[in-house]
Amino acid sequence: MRQQIEGSQAVARTVAACRPQVICAYPISPQTHIVETLSRLVQSGALTGCEYLNVDSEFAAMSAAIGASAAGARTYTATASQGLLYMVEAVYNASGLGLPIVMTVANRAIGAPINIWNDHSDAMSQRDSGWIQLYAEDNQHAADLHVQAYRLAEEVSLPVMVCMDGFILTHAVEEVEVPDAEQVDAFLPPYDPRQVLDPDEPVSIGAMVGPEAFLEVRYLAHLRQMQALATIPRIAADFAAVTGRHRDGLVSRYRMEDADLVVVALGSVLGTLKDTVDSLRDEGLPVGVLGITSFRPFPLAAVGEALAHTSRVLVLEKSLAVGIGGAVSSNVRTALAARPVPTTTVIAGLGGRPILRSSLDTVIRGTLAGEVPDLFFLDLKTDLVEREVARMRAARRSGPAAENILRDVAGVGDPHAVGRPR
Amino acid sequence: MNERVRFYQTGSFAVRNRLLPVVDASVQSDPGRSNAITSGHRACQGCGEALGARYALDAAMRAADGRVVAVNATGCLEVFSTPYPETSWQIPWLHSLFGNAPAVASGVAAALRVRGREDIRVVAQAGDGGTVDIGMGPLSGMFERNDDVLFICYDNEAYMNTGVQRSGATPPGARTMTTQAVGPHPGAPFGQGKDLPRIAMAHEIPYVATATVADLRDLEAKVTTAMALRGARYLHVLVPCPLGWGTPGHDTIRVARLATESGLFPVFEAHHGEITTVTPIRRRVPVTDYLRVQKRYAHLFGDPPATAEIARIQEQADRTIRRYGITEVTV
Ligand SMILES: Cc1ncc(C[n+]2csc(CCOP(=O)(O)OP(=O)(O)O)c2C)c(N)n1
Ligand code: SF4
Ligand SMILES: [Mg+2]
């Protein structure tokens, strides 16, 4: 049924339709509405056959998910930002054990400075964790990806992270057709675990592996992700057959025909980008958009093929790989290894900074004209940065940069002028 | 010469004591025991942890009619039982991480509940480090939710698997590699450390008990009691470590017995936060009897001996005896 619904609600109801058996939850914005809704569904009896665990931390959430999954239950959790980082050790463990847990990451910045708003730093930090990572463009996509995530996870025996932009998607009310239980049942078979803790067939799971076989075990993890590159599009096609909603599983192309410049991005910013590109196309500028849905496994071939005829690439990134620039860009450059083209990294939207159409318009025109440096920070307030750099040069104890910059923004003036306590 | 002659097997629960009624015979004496941890593992000779785990799990297996799933934290027990590509575990066994065994066990229990398989029981186990330090948060969470898990801590009073470093369960004065026998205050500092059984009791969970490998029949009985209950249960077992404590492998049982007979390690049971039984001491000994046999305390007995420190340890034993009202057996 199509309905006006908040993104978190749509995801929670979709997850419920997937009949999870154990949900482990710990609150953190902007993910809370999802687990609150699921809690209500379980407690009210609307979602039966499901245990809802209010755990003591995200580390415990992922750990309980590991236990539940290994004991044969379809398992779900959701987190964001600091919560994702708090569970990192268990995140790697879940993929190492090959447990098909599905987790929503409501993408949010990482502190310090603490910031609850959206960017991709959290999920990007886990790009090498062995989890499959799917990025949703809008709330319909987010809902649909969760159903596909369970099918994928259970088919390839790997955990899947569904990444959706915090607030921008989680808290946005838009029209979504929430997959119902009937549709999901037609698409998603019951969970048949590859390995399970069972007294009738005792196995030791998580035993130590030394140098004799560790490389091989890791190789298999990679191999399974490579196999998923073929599985993801097949599952997307199956999903389309049941729901009538088709999207390419790995990448999405928009107005790529004869594009001289292709903008590559992940997540909800694709909507703004498409609008921007529409108006640029109206002017006759040859610009297209390539969205990456599956960031892990990274679809090297699909990206390389999509960019085969373009002469310039702009990668718009919502996370900063400090000390180098962009994580997505380096992956895109690998895809372009056979035919390198100038690739510009544009860092944008960190900590919830709005990515404006006007700014995108300017940076795309600038890139077409070859005027944008290889690494560019969109809408960076250079005056604020320069003032802080000057302060740092002037005094060793110039104070916390974040505070100083905030004072500048608020126009409070130089903190040293009022006598800073030592 | 005046010592009363005692028939060895009278009142003894030694394995295969044929004078005992069958119901009192130990699980280990049963040829049909499960051998949950079978032979061939790589524990040191005389390892208290290997012994304790074997007795505890076989008792749990008997109580659950063979339907037990074990969750294990990283540590000696995990490492010595699963040297690649072998495993000692005859039961379904899951190792995830060092600090998350209680939460993993909660997840296993939830899955079994939802799958209608509550006949399968969950036992989680960790060393003292995995319990009182890094696993403390998830353990407290598992307790307060009253998840249906029996959690067993094998307390050898240090991080042994990483080469004997101090944990929150390392007793004052003990030498470890991070509290070495050097400087003006050698060994682990006084006035620090954590008493996890009491912290567990504060959660008012259905069952908290302590045991040692000196009284294996008592350990089995407590596991049996715990398995008859549902909800969060905690068993804290003192397991001497010959390597870390500096004791001969053949003295593991004796050292564990001295720990209780000196009053340093109280053996008791508590239901819902209330102490219900306290095991009397057979023959009380001064703490020096216990300390002297362990190289980790050797620096206390130098020339001159560390009388003040020894006195503080004796005070601690006296306080424990008072706190639990530990009595001496009158024969
Ligand atoms: C997060 C993390 N920190 C540290 C370690 C290293 N480590 C592995 S086992 C261990 C000591 C275990 O001590 P304890 O829990 O007391 O068990 P024991 O080996 O003494 O039986 C440590 C520190 C680890 N594996 N994971
Ligand atoms: S180091 Fe200690 S706990 Fe570890 S196997 Fe050896 S005796 Fe057992
Ligand atoms: Mg230990």
Side-chain angles (χ1 to χ4, degrees):
Chain A
M1 189 185 68
R2 302 192 71 82
Q3 50 189 309
Q4 289 292 330
I5 187 170
E6 190 206 37
S8 297
Q9 301 270 336
V11 165
R13 286 173 191 284
T14 305
V15 167
C18 295
R19 303 182 197 280
Q21 293 165 296
V22 175
I23 296 173
C24 316
Y26 194 83
I28 184 168
S29 300
Q31 153 271 160
T32 37
H33 290 182
I34 300 175
V35 295
E36 285 169 5
T37 305
L38 282 165
S39 154
R40 189 182 166 84
L41 290 173
V42 174
Q43 198 166 357
S44 66
L47 174 56
T48 53
C50 181
E51 287 280 330
Y52 189 98
L53 289 185
N54 277 307
V55 289
D56 43 278
S57 72
E58 287 87 355
F59 178 61
M62 184 46 66
S63 301
I66 287 168
S69 187
R74 182 172 286 166
T75 306
Y76 175 79
T77 187
T79 192
S81 181
Q82 315 298 136
L84 182 62
L85 263 59
Y86 200 81
M87 61 164 72
V88 166
E89 195 192 8
V91 167
Y92 275 71
N93 193 252
S95 56
L97 293 173
L99 298 171
I101 298 160
V102 170
M103 169 163 69
T104 310
V105 176
N107 297 112
R108 166 182 152 178
I110 291 170
I114 190 163
N115 173 302
I116 65 164
W117 291 278
N118 166 249
D119 68 33
H120 289 168
S121 310
D122 51 4
M124 278 296 154
S125 78
Q126 296 309 297
R127 64 184 184 274
D128 299 330
S129 65
W131 283 58
I132 287 173
Q133 285 194 337
L134 308 176
Y135 285 76
E137 183 178 337
D138 51 53
N139 283 338
Q140 184 68 61
H141 198 204
D144 293 349
L145 281 179
H146 280 86
V147 189
Q148 297 177 51
Y150 272 112
R151 170 96 175 262
L152 176 64
E154 290 168 12
E155 222 173 287
V156 299
S157 268
L158 281 178
V160 178
M161 229 176 258
V162 180
C163 305
M164 64 189 293
D165 285 312
F167 294 113
I168 298 173
L169 293 183
T170 54
H171 288 55
V173 175
E174 40 179 55
E175 195 172 73
V176 176
E177 183 164 341
V178 176
D180 58 38
E182 235 168 73
Q183 283 178 321
V184 173
D185 287 348
F187 170 80
L188 178 65
Y191 176 33
D192 178 18
R194 220 172 243 277
Q195 53 181 11
V196 66
L197 295 166
D198 177 2
D200 291 331
E201 276 178 74
V203 285
S204 299
I205 303 177
M208 192 163 203
V209 174
E212 318 86 303
F214 195 78
L215 179 66
E216 288 68 23
V217 172
R218 297 309 298 155
Y219 176 80
L220 283 173
H222 181 64
L223 185 74
R224 287 221 298 280
Q225 282 225 355
M226 292 302 100
Q227 287 167 345
L229 282 175
T231 315
I232 292 167
R234 176 165 54 72
I235 285 177
D238 284 359
F239 187 77
V242 172
T243 60
R245 287 193 295 281
H246 181 79
R247 303 211 204 194
D248 277 321
L250 299 174
V251 293
S252 65
R253 300 150 176 255
Y254 186 74
R255 305 198 76 167
M256 298 272 289
E257 62 288 351
D258 308 324
D260 257 356
L261 169 69
V262 173
V263 183
V264 180
L266 286 67
S268 66
V269 74
L270 287 167
T272 324
L273 269 174
K274 287 175 181 175
D275 289 346
T276 314
V277 161
D278 279 346
S279 57
L280 291 167
R281 281 272 180 181
D282 287 347
E283 288 180 35
L285 293 173
V287 196
V289 179
L290 180 69
I292 297 176
T293 302
S294 168
F295 187 64
R296 283 294 179 273
F298 191 80
L300 278 178
V303 171
E305 197 189 309
L307 301 177
H309 304 292
T310 189
S311 49
R312 227 169 232 292
V313 173
L314 187 164
V315 183
L316 187 71
E317 306 214 30
K318 277 194 176 183
S319 71
L320 172 62
V322 180
I324 171 80
V328 182
S329 313
S330 36
N331 289 254
V332 170
R333 285 195 189 96
T334 307
L336 291 169
R339 198 189 66 88
V341 293
T343 302
T344 306
T345 301
V346 176
I347 307 293
L350 299 193
R353 173 75 55 91
I355 302 180
L356 304 175
R357 243 180 91 171
S358 54
S359 307
L360 288 176
D361 187 278
T362 309
V363 77
I364 291 172
R365 284 176 201 273
T367 307
L368 273 172
E371 290 163 358
V372 177
D374 289 350
L375 175 62
F376 181 72
F377 294 80
L378 192 69
D379 292 337
L380 181 72
K381 295 176 182 168
T382 42
D383 54 328
L384 286 183
V385 173
E386 278 160 15
R387 281 164 73 176
E388 179 58 14
V389 169
R391 270 192 296 263
M392 292 189 324
R393 215 175 269 138
R396 171 143 185 89
R397 293 210 186 168
S398 56
E403 253 202 341
N404 291 343
I405 288 177
L406 279 182
R407 281 177 211 270
D408 285 347
V409 171
V412 180
D414 184 353
H416 300 289
V418 292
R420 196 165 48 86
R422 287 247 155 166
Chain B
M1 275 288 110
N2 299 339
E3 214 173 298
R4 201 158 63 90
V5 179
R6 212 159 153 261
F7 224 163
Y8 170 65
Q9 288 188 324
T10 307
S12 159
F13 291 104
V15 170
R16 291 203 173 279
N17 179 352
R18 282 163 296 145
L19 302 182
L20 279 177
V22 178
V23 286
D24 287 338
S26 72
V27 175
Q28 282 303 312
S29 71
D30 179 356
R33 66 177 184 264
S34 61
N35 289 322
I37 314 172
T38 197
S39 57
H41 58 69
R42 310 286 211 269
C44 309
Q45 205 172 46
C47 173
E49 186 160 298
L51 183 67
R54 175 180 175 81
Y55 272 71
L57 284 168
D58 280 347
M61 281 289 278
R62 180 195 266 188
D65 214 5
R67 315 197 77 69
V68 170
V69 168
V71 173
N72 216 126
T74 313
C76 269
L77 177 60
E78 169 260 332
V79 171
F80 72 59
S81 64
T82 58
Y84 180 82
E86 294 152 6
T87 178
S88 285
W89 298 97
Q90 306 282 70
I91 58 177
W93 180 88
L94 171 63
H95 162 248
S96 172
L97 296 168
F98 185 24
N100 71 354
V104 172
S106 293
V108 172
L112 294 174
R113 198 155 58 236
V114 78
R115 291 180 49 222
R117 292 305 309 271
E118 280 169 292
D119 57 314
I120 304 175
R121 309 298 302 277
V122 186
V123 176
Q125 29 186 9
D128 49 294
T131 304
V132 318
D133 289 339
I134 201 168
M136 169 96 180
L139 183 64
S140 178
M142 188 275 273
F143 284 166
E144 67 84 10
R145 288 189 305 272
N146 198 23
D147 290 332
D148 191 17
V149 173
L150 167 59
F151 192 95
I152 306 177
C153 168
Y154 301 109
D155 181 7
N156 51 24
E157 302 190 328
Y159 294 106
M160 296 311 178
N161 185 53
T162 35
V164 196
Q165 296 84 18
R166 177 197 178 269
S167 81
T170 299
R175 171 212 69 188
T176 69
M177 292 308 285
T178 52
T179 54
Q180 299 197 15
V182 294
H185 302 291
F190 281 77
Q192 297 185 359
K194 235 184 256 191
D195 183 344
L196 210 92
R198 287 168 72 210
I199 295 172
M201 281 167 59
H203 291 76
E204 303 201 352
I205 54 175
Y207 188 66
V208 172
T210 65
T212 79
V213 289
D215 194 346
L216 289 162
R217 176 66 191 129
D218 175 66
L219 170 60
E220 285 183 343
K222 281 171 176 162
V223 170
T224 308
T225 303
M227 293 296 287
L229 301 168
R230 292 277 176 171
R233 290 143 291 143
Y234 179 71
L235 188 55
H236 191 104
V237 191
L238 186 73
V239 291
C241 161
L243 182 94
W245 294 17
T247 49
H250 57 75
D251 267 350
T252 297
I253 304 290
R254 184 165 81 99
V255 176
R257 176 159 299 124
L258 289 170
T260 60
E261 302 207 331
S262 61
L264 282 170
F265 189 87
V267 178
F268 65 92
E269 286 177 296
H271 289 79
H272 297 286
E274 221 175 302
I275 292 186
T276 43
T277 69
V278 176
T279 305
I281 292 174
R282 212 190 287 176
R283 184 170 54 93
R284 193 166 170 197
V285 299
V287 293
T288 44
D289 280 19
Y290 170 66
L291 304 174
R292 232 184 252 283
V293 294
Q294 306 176 52
K295 289 208 188 78
R296 63 174 171 160
Y297 293 113
H299 56 277
L300 297 181
F301 300 96
D303 185 16
T307 27
E309 282 73 17
I310 293 172
R312 284 187 79 173
I313 299 173
Q314 185 61 57
E315 273 168 31
Q316 189 198 327
D318 298 345
R319 203 161 43 239
T320 302
I321 285 174
R322 281 198 305 275
R323 172 179 290 139
Y324 293 93
I326 301 174
T327 54
E328 267 183 271
V329 182
T330 40
V331 189

